Amino acid sequence: MSFYFTEGFERSFGTWPLRGDTLRSSVMTAIETGYRSFDTAQIYENEEELGSVLKEVGLSREKICITTKVAPSNYASNLFLPSVEASLRSLQTEYVDVLLLHWPDQFGKNAEALDGLQSAVERGYAHNIGVSNYTVSMMENALLRLDSIPVTNQVEFHPLLDTTKLMAAAVRFGIPLASYCSLARGQVVVDPILRDMGHRYDRTASQIALRWILQRGVSLNTMSTSREHQAENFNIMDFFLSGPDMAVIDRCMNINLRIVDSSIVSTAPVWD
């Protein structure tokens, strides 16, 4: 089971591509909605702004979960730890709850980055470490390189993408998945199967999709600047999808819609 589940942070608020006043207002309303887990990254260039907002609201550090991700440009051994130290200063915290590698080397040459991740947790800069966008073979290599099992592999995960092999491998390796693009950039909203099921459950298609992800054992990472949509994404814990309905949604994966691929991130890995 994922760190995010065991610590009650199964619904994380993503901050890409928020900046400035938009980030501040969105995080403020997210906190009012109930979010206590926040996801950022060096690449997002908003760590300092997020740190300021979290400091301003005055929540005790133990009550929030902060995830950040090291940029590939900082994977070299002489850059890795200084970049994490800079992230901690920006976030105004002595540690992050989860530190991830943002993107792998697409050819699987990830040893140096994994060593940096190990050093960061040994220094106390991160309480938990993990990876992002790792294929099956890359997850296996990470297990061999790291002293502890990564707490997560954050990947694109939604009902319209076939992640069957990745899910099976994650269970086999004991590396829980965390989702991004959890709503397929709005594509789940117009899916007829999810919409019809939403009517039966008196829920939106988005809530059906997010509930499906949770019941698959995958934690959530969603972003919205709308208070209404934030609440919609957050309030999914008071209903349960039946086994037959889960199976119906499973078949939607055959659409195999990948939002983030090499056309968006040129170094994205080739997925199994």
Side-chain angles (χ1 to χ4, degrees), residues 159-160 186-197 205 252 255:
L160 308 182
Q187 292 301 305
V188 301
V189 176
V190 296
D191 183 83
I193 292 175
L194 296 172
R195 291 181 66 177
D196 289 347
M197 194 173 294
C252 292
I255 296 172

Side-chain angles (χ1 to χ4, degrees), residues 129-261:
I129 52 176
V131 295
S132 186
N133 300 296
Y134 266 44
T135 64
V136 171
S137 60
M138 290 173 184
M139 283 196 290
E140 187 170 18
N141 290 335
L143 283 176
L144 296 173
R145 193 80 184 182
L146 295 172
D147 290 345
S148 59
I149 298 175
V151 296
T152 196
N153 179 15
Q154 188 183 96
V155 296
E156 179 177 343
F157 193 99
H158 52 75
L160 308 182
L161 176 65
D162 189 355
T163 49
T164 305
K165 291 181 180 178
L166 193 66
M167 279 192 287
V171 171
R172 188 166 72 252
F173 297 146
I175 304 177
L177 300 180
S179 70
Y180 69 80
C181 283
S182 308
L183 298 175
R185 301 275 172 88
Q187 292 301 305
V188 301
V189 176
V190 296
D191 183 83
I193 292 175
L194 296 172
R195 291 181 66 177
D196 289 347
M197 194 173 294
H199 291 317
R200 287 199 288 107
Y201 280 86
D202 194 25
R203 300 285 172 163
T204 65
S206 296
Q207 288 176 311
I208 296 296
L210 295 177
R211 185 66 215 182
W212 174 85
I213 293 172
L214 282 183
Q215 288 182 215
R216 281 280 164 252
V218 177
S219 55
L220 298 170
N221 186 20
T222 58
M223 188 284 292
S224 176
T225 58
S226 160
R227 183 188 296 268
E228 178 184 356
H229 289 156
Q230 287 178 6
E232 180 181 315
N233 294 342
F234 190 78
N235 296 322
I236 56 172
M237 304 303 287
D238 58 349
F239 75 104
F240 195 84
L241 296 172
S242 70
D245 284 338
M246 287 289 290
V248 169
I249 300 174
D250 286 349
R251 291 194 286 274
C252 292
M253 290 192 291
N254 293 331
I255 296 172
N256 208 22
L257 171 67
R258 185 173 293 280
I259 302 296
V260 182
D261 58 16

Side-chain angles (χ1 to χ4, degrees), residues 41-43 47 69-84 86-87 101 112-113 116-117:
Q42 293 173 354
I43 287 176
E47 289 175 317
K69 299 180 278 293
V70 179
S73 58
N74 290 322
Y75 285 172
S77 58
N78 64 318
L79 299 176
F80 197 100
L81 290 178
S83 81
V84 176
S87 291
L101 301 177
E112 189 172 23
L117 202 61

Side-chain angles (χ1 to χ4, degrees), residues 36-152:
R36 294 296 182 268
S37 180
F38 300 90
D39 181 276
T40 183
Q42 293 173 354
I43 287 176
Y44 300 171
E45 298 183 340
N46 63 12
E47 289 175 317
E48 185 171 358
E49 293 166 310
L50 176 61
S52 295
V53 177
L54 294 178
K55 197 75 169 181
E56 180 182 346
V57 297
L59 291 170
S60 64
R61 183 63 184 87
E62 303 76 33
K63 298 293 185 181
I64 60 175
C65 171
I66 301 175
T67 297
T68 196
K69 299 180 278 293
V70 179
S73 58
N74 290 322
Y75 285 172
S77 58
N78 64 318
L79 299 176
F80 197 100
L81 290 178
S83 81
V84 176
E85 291 165 355
S87 291
L88 295 180
R89 288 193 297 270
S90 293
L91 290 164
Q92 300 184 52
T93 183
E94 295 180 353
Y95 66 91
V96 290
D97 298 274
V98 184
L99 182 69
L100 305 179
L101 301 177
H102 203 155
W103 284 94
D105 177 90
Q106 64 186 137
F107 303 111
K109 298 177 181 178
N110 297 301
E112 189 172 23
L114 291 166
D115 289 347
L117 202 61
Q118 187 67 52
S119 296
V121 76
E122 290 170 356
R123 294 281 187 95
Y125 294 165
H127 284 183
N128 301 276
I129 52 176
V131 295
S132 186
N133 300 296
Y134 266 44
T135 64
V136 171
S137 60
M138 290 173 184
M139 283 196 290
E140 187 170 18
N141 290 335
L143 283 176
L144 296 173
R145 193 80 184 182
L146 295 172
D147 290 345
S148 59
I149 298 175
V151 296
T152 196

